[in-house]
């Protein structure tokens, strides 16, 4: 019987260290089999997941011994946090540990779009040398619109400043006096104003009821002609059919998506457009971020199992078996 079940691919020194203290069962494919997952979780005290395991109310009900779910990552759209709170299951996540990697990929995608790097690479490798096909744009003195100015939005904007970009931000949960906006020399504006004024839009939003479908036909239509669109946050934020239409009509100059409405996505028309860059949700996938994420989540899960509070809890649940009531 395992104390801790890991239902996705999470490995490394921190997992090995956890094995020295607990009985850990690593089943990297189990997220694909909800019934088998529920069965395996029956006697477990902890579950560690990435973003593919659906932690539903039903799953929590099937795990009466469960004290903590560790989310190795930041997005919580695969976890019913409210149901976990009701069940007294602590959710711990890693809110900071992969933020730099996501910001770095975002910057990479913006540069790749502005200079058409993937298309130039593809064409040059076929033996062509068509310089005239690849006249890009400079980012210097262009304006970046950060939609969702949390940690990742901030780190992305910070890096864009180094390229000489100007920053506008939209975030309904920030006050204009926020010190980080000041640090970015950023103006906090409404979403519609931002879309109409910036050259590059970069989304850094969680998937919530408020943000689902936020980037739709009307919003793409508000963007400056030829503007670039990047999403490294959650696929649900974008209505992909509307993005496709905006790209095909020439309203947008290009788009880069690391996240999709459905993952993995079915092959569609976006794949065929030369000014679209697609990556398979890898923004957080760097050696450094994964080491940090794994270390932090293993440590937090161990803490809860040892009766200590999690360092990065989500919500306010006390463990089911906590002595502190
Ligand atoms: C995150 O939410 O941390 C990243 O998108 C990576 C992941 O989902 O695991």
């Amino acid at each position: 019987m395992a104390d801790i079940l890991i239902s996705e691919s999470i490995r490394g020194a921190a997992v090995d260290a956890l094995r020295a203290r607990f009985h850990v069962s690593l089943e990297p494919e189990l997220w694909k089999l909800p019934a088998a997952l529920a069965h395996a979780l029956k006697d477990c005290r902890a579950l560690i997941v990435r973003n593919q395991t659906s932690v539903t109310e039903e799953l929590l009900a099937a795990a009466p011994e469960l004290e903590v779910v560790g989310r190795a990552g930041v997005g919580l759209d695969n976890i019913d946090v409210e149901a976990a709170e009701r069940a007294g299951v602590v959710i711990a996540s890693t809110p900071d540990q992969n933020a730099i990697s996501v910001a770095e990929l975002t910057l990479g995608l913006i540069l790749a779009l502005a200079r058409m790097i993937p298309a130039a690479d593809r064409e040059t490798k076929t033996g062509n040398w068509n310089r005239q096909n690849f006249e890009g744009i400079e980012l210097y003195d262009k304006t970046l619109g950060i939609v969702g100015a949390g940690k990742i939005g901030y780190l992305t904007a910070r890096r864009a400043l180094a390229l000489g970009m100007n920053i506008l931000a939209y975030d309904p949960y920030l006050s204009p006096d926020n010190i980080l906006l000041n640090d970015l020399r950023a103006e906090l504006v409404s979403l519609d104003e931002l879309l109409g004024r910036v050259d590059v839009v970069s989304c850094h939003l969680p998937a919530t009821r408020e943000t689902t479908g936020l980037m739709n036909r009307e919003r793409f239509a508000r963007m400056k002609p030829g503007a670039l669109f990047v999403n490294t946050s959650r696929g649900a934020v974008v209505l992909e059919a509307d993005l496709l239409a905006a790209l095909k009509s020439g309203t947008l100059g290009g788009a880069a998506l690391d996240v999709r409405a459905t993952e993995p996505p079915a092959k569609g028309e976006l794949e065929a457009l030369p000014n679209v860059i697609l990556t398979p949700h890898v923004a957080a996938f760097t050696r450094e971020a994964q080491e940090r994420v794994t270390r932090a989540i293993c440590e937090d899960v161990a803490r809860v199992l040892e009766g200590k509070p999690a360092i990065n809890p989500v919500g306010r649940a006390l463990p089911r078996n906590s002595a502190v009531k």
Side-chain angles (χ1 to χ4, degrees):
M1 190 190 84
D3 298 310
I4 303 172
L5 176 64
I6 304 180
S7 60
E8 296 182 49
S9 179
I10 301 172
R11 298 161 206 273
V15 174
D16 296 340
L18 205 58
R19 286 185 197 282
R21 293 154 75 184
F22 301 96
H23 183 195
V24 178
S25 170
L26 173 61
E27 301 275 357
E29 303 294 315
L30 201 54
W31 62 272
K32 295 178 184 163
L33 306 165
L37 173 63
H39 182 72
L41 210 52
K42 200 160 44 80
D43 300 313
C44 290
R45 297 173 62 206
L47 171 66
I48 301 183
V49 304
R50 286 191 189 279
N51 68 351
Q52 289 177 294
T53 309
S54 287
V55 181
T56 59
E57 184 151 30
E58 296 71 49
L59 185 71
L60 294 165
E65 304 302 322
L66 198 65
E67 293 169 46
V68 54
V69 175
R71 163 68 169 103
V74 62
L76 294 166
D77 35 308
N78 58 319
I79 298 180
D80 189 336
V81 175
E82 286 170 15
E85 286 209 347
R86 284 195 297 277
V89 174
V90 173
I91 306 292
S93 75
T94 58
D96 309 316
Q97 286 76 357
N98 61 25
I100 289 174
S101 290
V102 180
E104 287 186 0
L105 186 83
T106 307
L107 244 287
L109 292 174
I110 295 172
L111 281 161
L113 280 175
R115 302 304 299 269
M116 297 174 269
I117 297 171
D121 171 64
R122 274 194 306 273
E123 189 166 323
T124 307
K125 283 177 179 165
T126 65
N128 291 322
W129 195 260
N130 289 328
R131 297 170 72 196
Q132 68 285 355
N133 287 356
F134 298 108
E135 183 184 83
I137 54 160
E138 285 186 349
L139 295 175
Y140 176 75
D141 209 25
K142 298 291 190 308
T143 303
L144 171 65
I146 295 287
V147 178
K151 235 162 284 167
I152 295 170
Y154 169 78
L155 291 171
T156 301
R158 201 85 195 72
R159 282 152 180 74
L161 276 183
L163 299 177
M165 296 190 83
N166 313 303
I167 312 294
L168 291 190
Y170 162 71
D171 193 319
Y173 299 102
L174 275 194
S175 114
D177 297 328
N178 186 288
I179 195 75
L180 297 182
L181 291 173
N182 198 35
D183 186 46
L184 296 171
R185 302 190 289 280
E187 214 181 313
L188 188 66
V189 295
S190 71
L191 181 57
D192 286 348
E193 182 176 348
L194 178 146
L195 295 174
R197 285 178 56 192
V198 304
D199 304 287
V200 183
V201 171
S202 186
C203 288
H204 301 282
L205 297 164
T208 64
R209 261 179 237 119
E210 264 177 300
T211 63
T212 297
L214 186 81
M215 289 307 301
N216 57 21
R217 190 159 57 93
E218 291 74 34
R219 297 227 161 79
F220 287 123
R222 286 182 192 278
M223 287 174 63
K224 276 167 79 169
L228 305 175
F229 177 78
V230 177
N231 187 15
T232 53
S233 59
R234 281 297 179 266
V237 167
V238 177
L239 290 184
E240 288 186 3
D242 293 0
L243 172 63
L244 180 68
L247 287 160
K248 280 167 83 173
S249 70
T251 311
L252 294 191
L257 305 178
D258 183 52
V259 287
R260 303 298 296 278
T262 309
E263 295 182 4
K267 199 163 186 306
E269 288 185 67
L270 283 172
E271 283 76 358
L273 298 183
N275 55 346
V276 170
I277 301 173
L278 302 172
T279 49
H281 200 147
V282 289
F285 266 73
T286 61
R287 194 182 324 133
E288 293 82 358
Q290 289 310 307
E291 276 173 17
R292 275 187 227 114
V293 160
T294 306
R295 210 168 33 239
I297 210 61
C298 289
E299 185 50 33
D300 244 3
V301 164
R303 284 176 64 88
V304 175
L305 294 186
E306 286 165 350
K308 299 180 199 146
I311 291 172
N312 293 303
V314 175
R316 292 167 189 279
L318 286 169
R320 270 169 178 159
N321 306 327
S322 166
V324 189
K325 299 285 178 205

